[in-house]
Amino acid sequence: MKKVNLTEKFTLFSEHWSPKVAGEIGDYYLKLAKLKGEFLWHKHDVEDEMFLVVAGRLIIKLRDGDVELLPGEFLIIPHGVEHMPVADQEAHVMLFEPKTTVNTGDAGGERTKTEVQWV
Amino acid sequence: MKKVNLTEKFTLFSEHWSPKVAGEIGDYYLKLAKLKGEFLWHKHDVEDEMFLVVAGRLIIKLRDGDVELLPGEFLIIPHGVEHMPVADQEAHVMLFEPKTTVNTGDAGGERTKTEVQWV
């Protein structure tokens, strides 16, 4: 059992749109991700997903409008809700989601990350 | 679906050792708590529990030593592991845990909070 320092963990990887697992709590993962640019529209049919911004600025596009997240702000996307994360500059984000969650949800495609990578 | 600002939420309550729900992700709650002083030794037989310090300093006492958490640091206590949170000064903490988690775990007693309170 070891504590995790978020700032330190974010120094250990540089890829964008490739969430890394930093902890497991029951059947959920706490993941860290660096986001920059546009992702893609998708939804998770079963899993709710939380985005908490640690650094930078993240826009979550929803079909009925955009939500802007600054450091210390979070949004929970309920299952079934289409969303697209967008970050003009690099944003550092913490995610809580069930272990079964796939980053691209129902959209699939080449940006899908199937391997569980720890940081 | 509404974003949550952690700093703002922490202005809305002042009680110590009384976690407030700030979001639900599947069958988990994201809770916010102000901690000051000593809690009590307890464990959760089933639930893993995450403590992330947002402000201040939290010591998690474990049977084999103490872990000090500063802002931006988290510790996951696996189910079955005895722990006692202690904060010399007021600490602001984010918790992520199954909805079934009771604050006092197996210890019970008068500091148990049975009502789910949202903030």
Side-chain angles (χ1 to χ4, degrees):
Chain A
M1 202 179 336
K2 205 174 165 305
K3 76 172 176 180
V4 172
N5 180 297
L6 294 178
T7 304
E8 190 184 312
K9 287 293 184 193
F10 277 112
T11 67
L12 300 178
F13 66 100
S14 55
E15 289 166 275
H16 295 143
W17 306 109
S18 183
K20 312 294 182 199
V21 176
E24 52 186 335
I25 305 136
D27 46 0
Y28 278 61
Y29 279 138
L30 188 159
K31 294 179 179 172
L32 303 179
K34 291 186 173 179
L35 310 183
K36 188 177 177 186
E38 284 201 350
F39 200 50
L40 42 73
W41 281 102
H42 68 285
K43 61 182 162 63
H44 306 281
D45 289 329
V46 175
E47 302 94 347
D48 300 345
E49 187 174 38
M50 191 208 68
F51 292 80
L52 170 68
V53 172
V54 175
R57 174 176 174 267
L58 178 67
I59 305 293
I60 310 263
K61 288 185 176 286
L62 302 165
R63 291 303 187 188
D64 60 355
D66 296 353
V67 176
E68 179 195 44
L69 297 177
L70 298 173
E73 295 183 335
F74 72 80
L75 184 69
I76 296 165
I77 314 285
H79 60 281
V81 173
E82 287 186 294
H83 57 285
M84 175 167 73
V86 179
D88 295 334
Q89 305 295 326
E90 184 175 271
H92 295 183
V93 175
M94 192 171 93
L95 305 166
F96 276 124
E97 53 191 28
K99 288 179 179 177
T100 51
T101 308
V102 174
N103 64 327
T104 51
D106 64 327
E110 61 183 17
R111 301 178 75 174
T112 304
K113 304 290 181 186
T114 48
E115 203 189 334
V116 174
Q117 296 186 318
W118 279 76
V119 67
Chain B
M1 202 179 335
K2 206 175 165 304
K3 77 172 176 181
V4 173
N5 180 297
L6 294 177
T7 304
E8 189 184 314
K9 286 295 185 193
F10 276 113
T11 66
L12 300 179
F13 66 99
S14 55
E15 289 166 275
H16 295 142
W17 306 110
S18 183
K20 312 295 182 197
V21 176
E24 50 186 337
I25 304 137
D27 47 359
Y28 279 62
Y29 280 138
L30 190 159
K31 294 178 181 173
L32 303 179
K34 291 186 173 178
L35 310 183
K36 188 176 177 187
E38 286 201 349
F39 199 51
L40 42 75
W41 282 101
H42 68 286
K43 62 182 163 63
H44 306 283
D45 288 328
V46 175
E47 301 95 347
D48 298 346
E49 186 175 38
M50 191 208 67
F51 292 80
L52 169 68
V53 172
V54 176
R57 174 175 174 267
L58 178 66
I59 306 293
I60 310 261
K61 288 185 175 286
L62 302 165
R63 291 302 186 189
D64 60 356
D66 296 353
V67 177
E68 178 195 44
L69 297 177
L70 297 173
E73 295 183 335
F74 72 81
L75 184 70
I76 296 166
I77 315 284
H79 60 280
V81 173
E82 288 185 293
H83 57 286
M84 175 166 72
V86 179
D88 295 334
Q89 304 296 325
E90 183 177 272
H92 296 183
V93 175
M94 191 171 95
L95 303 166
F96 186 67
E97 56 189 27
K99 289 180 178 176
T100 50
T101 309
V102 173
N103 64 327
T104 51
D106 64 326
E110 60 183 19
R111 299 179 77 174
T112 303
K113 304 289 181 185
T114 48
E115 202 189 337
V116 174
Q117 295 187 320
W118 280 76
V119 65

